[in-house]
Amino acid sequence: METPTTERKKVIFSAIQPSGTITLGNYLGALKNWISLQDEYRCIYALADLHTITVRQEPANFRRNTLEAYALLLACGIDVQKSPFFIQSQVCTHAQLAWILNCYTQFGELQRMTQFKDKAAKHADNVNAGLFTYPSLMAADILLYQTDLVPVGEDQKQHLELARNIAERFNGIYSPTFTVPDAYIPKNGARVMSLQEPARKMSKSDENANAYVAVLDKPEDILRKFKRAVTDSEACVRRAEGKDGINNLMSIYACVTGLTDEQIEKEFEGKGYGDFKTAVAEAVIEHLRPIQARFADFIKNKDYLEQCYTDGAQKALAVSARTLNKVMKKVGFLPKAF
Ligand code: TYM
């Protein structure tokens, strides 16, 4: 039998917050996959700026960070001809569906979110309702596009589980409405760790700038940060329990070179950590160099950026409005006459 050539491509959706620095963790855990999946899937990507205001933002910085994040993601390789790429606050369906989903999400479920607990502890003076209901907005982002797969790092797994539960609950109360999404988590890079405290996740909000590498860091800064990375006293490049620092550097090196653990261990047999750290830094610098060069071009061209995100928002609105209308009808809202 002939195989149909017009089989529906699976849908990929993911988003990132434009909250300042985009790190090597964001890149290896999520963005690198966003780029490589574009040919095989129907991808749609967003800057989750509504999520960002759960932490207070200075307006001018917030605007600049959003535009820079947009340019940087284009520089990483999002191809807007293939993958609509929009800014969440410009597509009104997200906030609308988020409200509805809030009414299908339990207080207890939100209370269990580890990211909420962490952020509430960190921003004790501003534990706002948005920080608490953040996962239902994230569920709305995903479910609006009938998403099959969500490429994210490991820290988003719990939020994704909740999105699945909300989708299943809604489908169960009414009838199948939402595709139930799966996480797409890379084997290497799913959890890039801090270079200073390798038992903790690499995070852009770390107070110690030596703990993370930003995608836009200068080569000399990247080299310095890797050279200062915390390791252990064994002086043997091999993956093993208790060697968090080396395990992390091996994962980063594997991501940017495509080498396996065995190949890496062989390459550095008999060599010290100094050589290994320099090699990791150089591989990362070379990997990021073309991205940094493209960023420098994109950020100069504000008109082009505006054209891309406006076009992305229009496309996203058209797709997401279909889901929102379906949801509103099922819930029992009176249809609009305009
Ligand atoms: P955000 O902006 O914190 O991070 C963006 C992506 O980067 C991944 N990531 C990491 N991966 C590996 N190692 C790390 N150290 C590391 N740090 C961050 C995250 O897992 C994420 O994939 N809530 C989301 C944004 C969002 C979203 C969505 C994601 C809003 N709506 C819908 C997917 C689908 C967030 O704050 O990610």
Side-chain angles (χ1 to χ4, degrees):
M1 215 173 81
E2 245 179 272
T3 44
T5 50
T6 53
E7 208 174 282
R8 173 182 171 270
K9 272 192 180 177
K10 286 200 167 172
V11 176
I12 295 244
F13 176 87
S14 200
I16 182 169
Q17 291 195 54
S19 43
T21 316
I22 290 185
T23 68
L24 191 63
N26 296 132
Y27 179 74
L28 298 178
L31 302 178
K32 198 161 165 280
N33 274 335
W34 294 18
I35 307 312
S36 63
L37 294 166
Q38 292 182 104
D39 285 326
E40 209 181 320
Y41 297 91
R42 238 180 72 210
C43 298
I44 179 152
Y45 296 127
L47 289 184
D49 59 343
L50 292 174
H51 283 88
T52 306
I53 63 162
T54 54
V55 173
R56 196 76 68 229
Q57 303 293 318
E58 195 282 308
N61 281 343
F62 184 32
R63 259 190 298 276
R64 195 189 56 241
N65 287 342
T66 305
L67 198 66
E68 285 185 0
Y70 196 91
L72 182 54
L73 266 68
L74 290 187
C76 286
I78 292 185
D79 177 351
V80 291
Q81 299 306 324
K82 291 184 193 147
S83 319
F85 174 35
F86 68 96
I87 300 174
Q88 187 189 31
S89 62
Q90 300 187 344
V91 182
C92 58
T93 45
H94 288 251
Q96 280 177 284
L97 183 63
W99 173 257
I100 297 174
L101 295 185
N102 267 331
C103 304
Y104 296 80
T105 308
Q106 297 303 305
F107 188 86
E109 288 178 306
L110 293 172
Q111 239 176 352
R112 282 195 290 278
M113 295 293 115
T114 55
Q115 201 167 76
F116 169 70
K117 290 188 229 171
D118 291 350
K119 287 207 173 164
K122 203 164 165 197
H123 303 279
D125 56 336
N126 184 20
V127 186
N128 58 72
L131 194 64
F132 189 62
T133 60
Y134 172 118
S136 13
L137 175 58
M138 183 163 155
D141 298 341
I142 298 167
L143 300 180
L144 276 170
Y145 300 94
Q146 304 297 343
T147 302
D148 297 288
L149 290 170
V150 186
V152 281
E154 212 167 81
D155 62 339
Q156 295 300 321
K157 218 165 140 184
Q158 197 186 26
H159 290 158
L160 210 84
E161 272 303 312
L162 182 57
R164 286 174 59 88
N165 291 342
I166 296 171
E168 281 168 353
R169 184 171 305 143
F170 193 95
N171 290 349
I173 296 172
Y174 302 98
S175 55
T177 311
F178 297 123
T179 302
V180 180
D182 281 310
Y184 185 104
I185 295 177
K187 190 173 151 279
N188 262 324
R191 196 170 171 79
V192 177
M193 310 308 278
S194 155
L195 297 183
Q196 290 299 310
E197 289 174 79
R200 284 178 42 186
K201 183 185 84 162
M202 180 181 283
S203 164
K204 52 190 151 200
S205 56
D206 205 307
E207 274 154 28
N208 182 353
N210 284 326
Y212 62 83
V213 169
V215 173
L216 290 176
D217 269 348
K218 292 195 196 90
E220 59 268 30
D221 292 333
I222 298 178
L223 183 63
R224 190 194 69 243
K225 289 178 185 186
F226 276 111
K227 278 191 164 168
R228 288 192 187 167
V230 169
T231 48
D232 54 69
S233 54
E234 192 196 33
C236 176
V237 177
R238 66 181 184 101
R239 194 181 283 278
E241 208 163 309
K243 287 172 68 77
D244 293 341
I246 288 296
N247 294 344
N248 188 37
L249 295 181
M250 284 182 70
S251 295
I252 294 172
Y253 195 58
C255 277
V256 293
T257 59
L259 296 173
T260 63
D261 279 355
E262 296 73 55
Q263 288 169 322
I264 297 171
E265 286 170 10
K266 196 141 180 258
E267 184 180 343
F268 294 97
E269 214 174 280
K271 293 189 183 150
Y273 286 166
D275 288 343
F276 181 48
K277 288 177 178 180
T278 305
V280 178
E282 281 171 356
V284 168
I285 290 166
E286 287 319 309
H287 191 93
L288 297 181
R289 197 186 295 282
I291 296 176
Q292 297 186 348
R294 284 194 296 267
F295 171 79
D297 282 339
F298 279 128
I299 198 62
K300 280 190 242 151
N301 200 339
K302 306 272 187 305
D303 289 346
Y304 177 70
L305 296 175
E306 187 183 293
Q307 193 186 317
C308 291
Y309 62 70
T310 304
D311 181 58
Q314 281 162 351
K315 288 180 177 152
L317 181 64
V319 178
S320 58
R322 286 202 288 275
T323 302
L324 182 66
N325 287 338
K326 211 154 75 164
V327 167
M328 292 185 76
K329 203 164 155 195
K330 292 197 187 194
V331 172
F333 288 107
L334 201 62
K336 283 197 292 235
F338 53 90

